[in-house]
Amino acid sequence: MVVVERKELSFWERIYFPAILKGLKITVSKMFAPRFTRQYPEEPLPTTEVTRGQPRLAVNEDDTIRCVSCGLCEAACPAYAITIDGQETDRFIEREPERFDIDMLRCILCGFCEEACPKDAIYMSNELELADFSREALVYDIEKLKRPVSALQDRIDYVKRINDRWQTSSST
Amino acid sequence: MTWFWITLGITAACYGAVIGTAALMTLAERKVSAAMQYRYGPNRVGPFGLLQPLADGLKFIFKEEVVPAGANPFIFKLAPALTALPAMLAIAVIPFTGVIATYEGTEILGSIANPDIGILYVLAVTGIGVYGAILGGWASNSKYSLLGGLRASAQMVSYELSLILSVLAVVAMSGTLNLHEIVAQQSGWLGWNIFTQPLAFLLFLICSYAETNRHPFDFAECEPELVGGFHTEYSSMKFAMFFIGEYTAMVVMACLTTTLFLGGYLVPFWPDAPWFVGLAAFGAKTAFFLVLFIWVRWTLPRFRYDQLMHLGWKVLFPLALLNVFLTGLFVSLGSGGN
Ligand code: SF4
Ligand code: SF4
């Protein structure tokens, strides 16, 4: 059993005023403290190579797309966000996508496409902002998805590092 | 005819000023509370978010109006107007500044009207304000609203008494009900009623928070228990009307506190200051009380309902009575000595 001792309040405690003044002093002092709010559009959140933003297609320095339209990302995508049609090309890789759509409204940014890709062609970028006035405009086609390798380099290095670690630990 | 235009001009200026202040108060409320909680508050609409009240108003106009099933439509629609109207009526007698000019041998005063029963009139019309809350609560056909309305009425009865008694002490001191004269009486070194009647000032301040349904006495709309109290069922512009009424009432109460206890438009150490300086002084003093309203709201927790009643009847009421008694004693002794 717990006996709660109720303390008798002193006169000054009972008339509230000292406590009220103390409270008012605290709130007014907080008014000039630094603020936590991030002013979002002007002050975006910092991103790192670990940030899993929207998937983007890597484009080599010579302007050729890395994707060979194998369809593995399409199959791996749990949200059925990717649609690919392939076509032939004269380049060594022989195939490239004719159409590569990602429905950004379906994409859950899981990164499975990045993991599935055998040609290091699709990467999770650090682009996070997604807004438009219609659903159709948010189905990104190949032109909207293309990014030069240099823009994705941090992520590419990061993924390689992670994959390498996994490989060495399994081989030993 | 000239008098008509003069009166019209003053009326427009006074109403514009008070209602504009009330609108800005909604912004100040959010800004100050934000600053106290390490936030920024609205800062997107216009510079520093100054146009936010306008944006809010527009939004309210475009919202759907819902009248709940089983509500009494006439009273339901009447109630918001009944809340907003009394507060606006009270603006009519508030002395914003002294003599502006003299025209045809008559002084143009810085208030819309200057009746001899000024303070009585203010108390009478602000007293009607609670009907809006009661009727709104009853007509909504919702138990939360009804409880909110009931609480509003109970609270009003208990606190209006002490409020009026504290004003009575001031009136007894000045010997007049005319607000301009009450202000004029407070001239001189330490002449403000806050120095001669500190207890009445404190009581008036506390009761004015209860009068305007502000924290820590906002039982009529106490969110955790009553959802939103008497305005739970209201939407669109009718909801906004309650807010306009509430904030106008706050501005009026701040003006009244200034007039009764802080020497109104008097400027310290400058007895014959021109009218616009007086107006500025009035504005500054009123602004302090307005900020105090917000400051207190975001500092103190709400009372418990029984504590509210306890405070009203067992503490404030006897104190107010005592104050009136002592003041009366001094006044009669003083005049007896003359
Ligand atoms: S991130 Fe996931 S959901 Fe988005 S496209 Fe890739 S696999 Fe599909
Ligand atoms: S898995 Fe890679 S190579 Fe295959 S279709 Fe997708 S992006 Fe192209």
Side-chain angles (χ1 to χ4, degrees), chain B residues 86-87 89-90 117-131 160 163-164 211 256:
Chain B
L89 281 178
I117 52 156
I119 185 66
L120 218 54
Y121 169 81
V122 173
L123 293 175
V125 289
T126 51
I128 310 172
V130 71
Y131 281 97
E160 196 142 40
L163 182 94
I164 291 174
E211 259 309 278
L256 214 59

Side-chain angles (χ1 to χ4, degrees), chain B residues 66-332:
Chain B
V66 183
V67 179
N72 182 327
F74 176 70
I75 297 181
F76 187 77
K77 285 171 189 160
L78 182 71
L82 263 186
T83 312
L85 192 70
M88 298 193 182
L89 281 178
I91 301 170
V93 296
I94 288 170
F96 291 95
T97 184
V99 180
I100 296 176
T102 315
Y103 179 74
E104 287 175 356
T106 317
E107 289 169 334
I108 301 173
L109 291 170
S111 62
I112 297 171
N114 183 26
D116 283 337
I117 52 156
I119 185 66
L120 218 54
Y121 169 81
V122 173
L123 293 175
V125 289
T126 51
I128 310 172
V130 71
Y131 281 97
I134 301 172
L135 289 179
W138 176 77
S140 299
N141 188 30
S142 142
K143 45 190 170 302
Y144 293 126
S145 305
L146 183 63
L147 280 172
L150 284 177
R151 282 183 175 192
S153 57
Q155 181 181 327
M156 206 60 58
V157 168
S158 355
Y159 279 79
E160 196 142 40
L161 214 57
S162 314
L163 182 94
I164 291 174
L165 284 177
S166 61
V167 173
L168 191 62
V170 172
V171 170
M173 289 258 313
S174 346
T176 173
L177 291 168
N178 184 311
L179 283 171
H180 274 286
E181 280 173 34
I182 289 180
V183 171
Q185 297 261 354
Q186 299 179 49
S187 57
W189 171 238
L190 288 189
W192 290 1
N193 281 336
I194 185 174
F195 301 119
T196 48
Q197 287 282 356
L199 187 58
F201 169 72
L202 218 55
L203 293 172
F204 187 87
L205 199 66
I206 295 172
C207 294
S208 68
Y209 282 72
E211 259 309 278
T212 46
N213 266 327
R214 289 288 298 189
H215 257 268
F217 305 117
D218 62 338
F219 281 89
E221 44 196 86
C222 168
E223 294 89 358
E225 300 155 42
L226 297 182
V227 192
F230 61 92
H231 57 53
T232 307
E233 304 294 338
Y234 280 88
S235 52
S236 182
M237 213 48 208
K238 291 206 284 287
F239 179 76
M241 275 289 256
F242 276 122
F243 265 75
I244 295 172
E246 196 171 298
Y247 279 95
T248 314
M250 266 165 69
V251 178
V252 167
M253 269 299 165
C255 289
L256 214 59
T257 320
T258 307
T259 308
L260 291 177
F261 294 99
L262 241 56
Y265 48 78
L266 295 178
V267 188
F269 310 116
W270 192 3
D272 33 39
W275 66 271
F276 45 86
V277 180
L279 188 64
F282 185 85
K285 292 171 192 173
T286 308
F288 170 75
F289 285 111
L290 287 176
V291 171
L292 195 66
F293 266 117
I294 300 176
W295 191 3
V296 165
R297 165 162 180 191
W298 295 98
T299 302
L300 299 182
R302 185 180 290 121
F303 273 65
R304 219 168 53 206
Y305 192 64
D306 60 320
Q307 291 172 332
L308 170 91
M309 284 298 155
H310 179 278
L311 181 71
W313 287 106
K314 293 191 188 159
V315 181
L316 296 184
F317 184 56
L319 275 177
L321 270 183
L322 182 74
N323 190 44
V324 169
F325 174 72
L326 288 180
T327 312
L329 207 64
F330 271 110
V331 170
S332 57

